[in-house]
Amino acid sequence: MNFDDTPQEAAFRSQARTWIAANAPKQYEDELRATSLGRVGLKNADILQVAKAWQKKKAEAGWACLHWPKEYGGRGSSPIERVIWQQEEGPFGKLSGMFIIGHGMCGPTMMAYASEEHKRQYLPPLASGEKVWCQLFSEPAGGSDVAGLRTRAEKRGEDWVINGQKIWTSGAHYSDYGILLTRTDPTVPKHKGLTMFFLDMKSPGVDIRPIKQASGHSDFNEVYFTDVVIPDSQRLGTVNDGWNVALTTLMNERMSIGAGVATGVPELFDFCSNLMLDDRPAIEDRNVRSRLASWAVRASGLKYTSIRAISALSKGERPGPENSIGKLVAGPMIQDVAAYALDLQGAAGVLSGPEAELAGKFQAMLLRAPGTRVEGGTDEIMRNIIAERVLGLPGDIRVDKDLPFNQVPTKGRN
Amino acid sequence: MNFDFSDDQKQLRDQARKFLAEKCPPKAVRVVLDGQAPYDRALWKGFAEMGFLGVAIPEEYGGAGAGHLELCVIAEEVGRALAPVPFSSTVYLAAEALMLAGSDAQKQAWLPKIASGEAIGTLALFEGTGNPSPKAIKVEAANGVLNGTKKPVADGAIADLIIVAARTGSTGRDSDISLFLVDAKAGGVEAKALTNLDPTRGQAELTFKNCKAEPLGAAGEGWSILTEVLDRAAVLTAFEQVGGSDRALEMGRDYALDRIAFGRPIGSFQAVKHMLADMYVSATLARSNSYYGAWALSTNAPELPEAAASARISATQAFQHCSKNNIQVHGGMGFTWEFDCHMYYRRANALALGLGSLSYWEDQLIDRMRKRNAA
């Protein structure tokens, strides 16, 4: 058991460090470092442009999409090299936020199902950040129940015609392409009538409407499809096998594990060290210490759980359902940590704006956290995954499992 | 980087698990629980024969000299099986204190006896209610003799070797405390067994009356040695707690699969599934924190104090959480004497207190994190 770099890893680290020191956009370092969950953005620059420029620089020097094969714009690195890169990239890694879905989910799905020609055409500009991708799965009628989606794809000659609506599509408003899960046969049970495509988000008939979130920001969108035409060559996988393609995408979501999931704990620790409570630093208060210690061990537990997972990956094991633990622990924790930081400020915790920077920071966390607990699977779905796939408990009873999709009830009460 | 036990260490774990499954089934634990014996003598002898007692003791002192990662692996199995033997007091406390602070003569005198199972050891620290603190220590040492009373002392009534924290000064500083080594058979110490929450591990009151004692480590260094001993024991105990958490989770899972209610296995109800998922989460976080502690312990890393406190808190919470909810999954059955659930619940809550309670370790963790942040 050790944390030491092998000579090879040490060489990689030093190469990465040197390159980052010479090339990173240092003018944004402090601002990025201070950025916490729910507050992505730069005061005096367009973050998308800054992110794209940094990604392009990385791609040109061979530091983009480390785990991807070289021919598609990656570097062919090991899982441990990815972690080393993350450690060295530090706050500049936050700039990759808008590429996560493309790099972690869309790219790997393309690699598994697209034609060689399409892979060579679409993957390198995705790796370099020149083109941004989004993932069009969720619908108003199918959130946790993804396979309950209703967006239709109908074959017309060599093309498919898409009609319907997606929701919660992160980054659709600045995306160039998307992967899209549709229903191609409503007369069979829900998992059996789905088909996956990729499409140009600028296609006629695609209407993207940002959703204003509880935080006031707009990171997600509704996406409407009206007679959108997709050539059959952009189908991923066989017709009606979309569920298996989607599973590949979701499996790859688990691959995007790293050792640095946000928990809010370092922020709370700093805050409690500086806040005066009854004429002494809050961190000297017995109750504060107790709460802080409990969260701190959850955060360190998560950190070392992901390092264990990376060790397993580097020995050739596949990432398993146990990796659902990260989001399940971190999501509720950020929410509770933020609420506690506000509570410690008393009535003043309610204020934000320039005179109340600190409260504002935790308010942003508080308002973003519910989304963290829902996106990519709710807490309840994560618990089901652990219970069923790790502990081997029986699956939930799914009464619509064998029912043709067009006979599935759509309302709880008549 | 390789953040896992080696194949050899995993093999040792399998070996220990197999041995304990055979020699320490729940009915063997119950013999001690029911008060028919103070500990399982045959099992203790088996521990010595298997080399478990001396696994981290250097070869020159009669041990196997394998190291602390190997000891962690065994501790996990001891916790899983609820082994009713004075393993923690002898190996994590007495042997660690000797290895840290003992003179060569003291090590020669006692470590081989510990490794061979001939001597049971313990640490006499607490004096009634409260957490570890130099101020709480009233037992006095002067002119080579000890006077005063310690309680509770884990396995105190069966110990041959007692490490005693005693007062040698009155300046109000940590340097008032020194450690002493007492041979229980030499006289001057009176032991009284005390009833306690987890009878599978004994607790005692020890009264020293002009009891002859030899210094262990330098005078005035007692508190800093003790702190280090507690940190080391915290990591090792965390592995016992992790083993116990995993077993309690397994028991709950197995029962949820077998027990039918409303026409379905109760493990198919989301409320039960989610309770078990949460048990898995706490056990996993504890395991990961404990691995970090094991790494710090085995390499004597400067991170050990913080890692030990994290492992201690996380593993204490996990074992309490898992053992408590295991009973809940079992329903009324879990609350009966016949089912084994309460044995894990007892052990979890007793282990939560033995090295100082959660509040002590929370304090330690925050102080240590502050120190690191300030550095």
Side-chain angles (χ1 to χ4, degrees):
Chain A
M1 192 167 312
N2 67 66
F3 290 99
D4 306 331
D5 287 342
T6 62
Q8 234 176 338
E9 288 160 4
F12 178 86
R13 186 186 295 281
S14 113
Q15 212 189 338
R17 184 175 296 174
T18 308
W19 189 84
I20 290 165
N23 293 284
K26 294 232 180 46
Q27 65 272 35
Y28 304 114
E29 183 167 2
D30 290 344
E31 208 179 338
L32 285 170
R33 202 180 290 281
T35 295
S36 61
L37 183 86
R39 251 204 184 177
V40 200
L42 297 170
K43 273 192 188 120
N44 300 310
D46 175 353
I47 189 156
L48 182 62
Q49 293 316 316
V50 174
K52 282 189 163 193
W54 175 227
Q55 191 65 27
K56 183 160 179 259
K57 229 177 186 183
K58 289 197 280 185
E60 283 165 358
W63 296 106
C65 291
L66 294 178
H67 58 302
W68 285 17
K70 281 186 184 150
E71 61 267 36
Y72 303 137
R75 190 185 179 90
S77 285
S78 72
I80 290 178
E81 285 174 346
R82 279 174 75 190
V83 172
I84 292 173
W85 171 266
Q86 276 178 20
Q87 290 169 344
E88 296 300 326
E89 192 180 16
F92 302 109
K94 291 181 179 176
L95 289 172
S96 316
M98 46 270 296
F99 307 123
I100 282 179
I101 289 173
H103 291 164
M105 300 172 79
C106 305
T109 308
M110 290 290 284
M111 269 180 242
Y113 291 97
S115 68
E116 190 55 37
E117 192 193 335
H118 280 157
K119 287 190 227 181
R120 290 186 186 268
Q121 180 183 349
Y122 290 100
L123 290 173
L126 167 54
S128 68
E130 190 190 329
K131 300 292 180 191
V132 179
W133 285 58
C134 63
Q135 176 214 308
L136 301 140
F137 281 16
S138 293
E139 294 193 8
S144 292
D145 181 11
V146 177
L149 61 88
R150 299 181 168 274
T151 294
R152 297 186 320 278
E154 285 157 324
K155 193 79 192 282
R156 205 176 290 165
E158 278 309 293
D159 295 331
W160 293 83
V161 178
I162 316 294
N163 280 286
Q165 186 206 341
K166 295 288 173 181
I167 196 169
W168 316 127
T169 313
S170 303
H173 52 310
Y174 52 77
S175 287
D176 303 285
Y177 298 98
I179 56 171
L180 171 69
L181 191 57
T182 62
R183 182 161 309 279
T184 36
D185 187 352
T187 67
V188 293
K190 62 181 180 180
H191 291 94
K192 296 187 175 143
L194 304 174
T195 303
M196 184 82 88
F197 299 92
F198 73 92
L199 86 160
D200 185 337
M201 291 296 285
K202 311 284 187 303
S203 305
V206 177
D207 178 15
I208 300 163
R209 303 181 195 168
I211 299 169
K212 190 168 180 182
Q213 295 147 218
S215 63
H217 299 294
S218 294
D219 303 321
F220 312 120
N221 303 270
E222 293 179 291
V223 182
Y224 292 84
F225 296 90
T226 312
D227 295 329
V228 175
V229 177
I230 301 181
D232 188 57
S233 63
Q234 291 181 199
R235 173 164 44 79
L236 297 170
T238 54
V239 174
N240 292 336
D241 192 39
W243 184 247
N244 283 319
V245 182
L247 287 181
T248 308
T249 312
L250 298 170
M251 287 276 278
N252 275 293
E253 192 174 18
R254 279 195 218 124
M255 290 281 287
S256 8
I257 50 170
V261 57
T263 59
V265 169
E267 288 89 348
L268 183 67
F269 202 96
D270 279 355
F271 176 60
C272 293
S273 303
N274 295 316
L275 177 76
M276 293 302 282
L277 208 64
D278 300 328
D279 300 324
R280 57 178 187 162
I283 200 161
E284 286 170 17
D285 180 277
R286 178 85 275 287
N287 290 318
V288 172
R289 290 167 88 86
S290 176
R291 299 286 290 269
L292 203 45
S294 271
W295 280 316
V297 303
R298 284 178 90 72
S300 62
L302 265 194
K303 176 177 166 193
Y304 298 116
T305 299
S306 59
I307 294 181
R308 285 171 57 205
I310 290 155
S311 282
L313 270 181
S314 70
K315 289 181 202 160
E317 289 172 34
R318 287 191 65 78
E322 64 277 6
N323 291 312
S324 308
I325 194 173
K327 206 177 83 74
L328 176 57
V329 173
M333 197 162 126
I334 292 172
Q335 195 169 28
D336 294 346
V337 160
Y340 187 62
L342 297 179
D343 181 78
L344 283 173
Q345 298 170 64
V350 78
L351 302 176
S352 51
E355 303 94 65
E357 283 273 351
L358 269 180
K361 182 171 173 172
F362 289 107
Q363 286 170 15
M365 257 191 227
L366 183 82
L367 292 173
R368 180 60 181 79
T372 306
R373 292 182 62 185
V374 171
E375 64 200 359
T378 59
D379 290 354
E380 290 70 28
I381 292 290
M382 295 293 134
R383 286 193 175 91
N384 271 6
I385 290 173
I386 289 173
E388 294 170 18
R389 313 247 297 273
V390 182
L391 301 178
L393 292 160
D396 277 9
I397 291 172
R398 293 170 170 95
V399 292
D400 62 353
K401 195 169 164 255
D402 299 316
L403 222 55
F405 183 73
N406 54 13
Q407 290 172 32
V408 173
T410 55
K411 269 188 151 183
R413 285 193 291 191
N414 292 315
Chain B
M1 189 188 78
N2 178 20
F3 196 53
D4 195 5
F5 287 103
S6 69
D7 289 344
D8 283 351
Q9 287 153 356
K10 288 178 185 167
Q11 214 177 338
L12 176 66
R13 168 155 63 201
D14 293 346
Q15 202 187 352
R17 185 170 301 187
K18 212 173 134 219
F19 169 81
L20 281 156
E22 194 185 315
K23 306 285 183 193
C24 184
K27 70 171 195 267
V29 182
R30 284 172 179 274
V31 172
V32 179
L33 178 73
D34 291 335
Q36 298 169 51
Y39 69 103
D40 188 335
R41 281 197 172 79
L43 184 63
W44 190 241
K45 203 165 159 254
F47 267 50
E49 283 160 5
M50 295 293 287
F52 295 166
L53 300 176
V55 72
I57 294 175
E59 282 171 282
E60 53 181 316
Y61 302 117
H68 283 87
L69 289 177
E70 283 72 10
L71 183 52
C72 289
V73 157
I74 292 166
E76 183 180 333
E77 297 311 312
V78 167
R80 245 186 107 78
L82 295 177
V85 286
F87 191 68
S88 49
S89 42
T90 304
V91 177
Y92 315 161
L93 294 169
E96 289 298 321
L98 274 167
M99 288 195 282
L100 266 178
S103 67
D104 190 54
Q106 285 168 331
K107 291 184 198 170
Q108 287 292 0
W110 288 103
L111 288 174
K113 286 186 184 171
I114 287 177
S116 68
E118 206 183 314
I120 290 170
T122 191
L123 172 73
L125 167 61
F126 300 105
E127 301 183 21
T129 312
N131 272 325
S133 126
K135 287 191 183 69
I137 293 175
K138 308 278 187 243
V139 166
E140 265 190 327
N143 308 319
V145 297
L146 296 174
N147 279 291
T149 300
K150 292 279 186 186
K151 79 167 175 187
V153 180
D155 302 307
I158 53 171
D160 304 287
L161 161 71
I162 307 159
I163 313 268
V164 186
R167 174 166 299 280
T168 47
S170 52
T171 63
R173 284 195 280 263
D174 291 1
S175 58
D176 290 344
I177 307 302
S178 305
L179 289 186
F180 294 87
L181 194 156
V182 168
D183 180 344
K185 296 208 172 74
V189 50
E190 213 172 84
K192 187 171 93 181
L194 302 174
T195 52
N196 86 91
L197 174 63
D198 176 19
T200 63
R201 295 225 169 134
Q203 298 287 344
E205 177 183 280
L206 297 182
T207 305
F208 302 95
K209 283 184 188 152
N210 293 322
C211 173
K212 270 180 60 183
E214 53 182 271
L216 181 77
E221 293 283 306
W223 193 252
S224 74
I225 301 166
L226 261 178
T227 308
E228 201 176 337
V229 171
L230 289 179
D231 284 347
R232 300 171 82 81
V235 174
L236 296 164
T237 305
F239 275 89
E240 278 201 23
Q241 293 167 309
V242 163
S245 306
D246 263 15
R247 183 65 199 126
L249 168 60
E250 269 173 30
M251 288 165 75
R253 192 262 322 262
D254 291 350
Y255 189 78
L257 284 168
D258 284 344
R259 168 78 179 169
I260 304 282
F262 305 102
R264 293 155 58 179
I266 59 167
S268 69
F269 293 105
Q270 248 187 20
V272 176
K273 284 161 77 167
H274 288 192
M275 187 154 64
L276 288 160
D278 285 341
M279 288 160 72
Y280 171 83
V281 167
S282 63
T284 300
L285 296 179
R287 178 177 290 280
S288 301
N289 277 314
S290 299
Y291 278 29
Y292 182 54
W295 165 79
L297 173 62
S298 67
T299 56
N300 227 338
E303 288 88 343
L304 175 63
E306 188 178 329
S310 294
R312 168 73 181 161
I313 295 167
S314 186
T316 296
Q317 290 176 338
F319 197 10
Q320 286 183 319
H321 177 82
C322 290
S323 62
K324 167 175 90 175
N325 283 328
N326 178 36
I327 296 181
Q328 194 65 21
V329 171
H330 278 75
M333 285 303 168
F335 186 62
T336 63
W337 187 265
E338 281 71 20
F339 272 60
D340 295 335
C341 304
H342 68 101
M343 302 201 295
Y344 284 85
Y345 188 50
R346 285 170 190 282
R347 179 67 67 84
N349 285 287
L351 286 182
L353 304 169
L355 300 171
S357 67
L358 261 186
S359 62
Y360 168 76
W361 289 99
E362 287 167 353
D363 261 345
Q364 296 290 315
L365 177 64
I366 299 300
D367 285 343
R368 291 160 181 190
M369 287 176 76
R370 281 180 92 181
K371 206 178 273 176
R372 169 168 57 85
N373 281 5

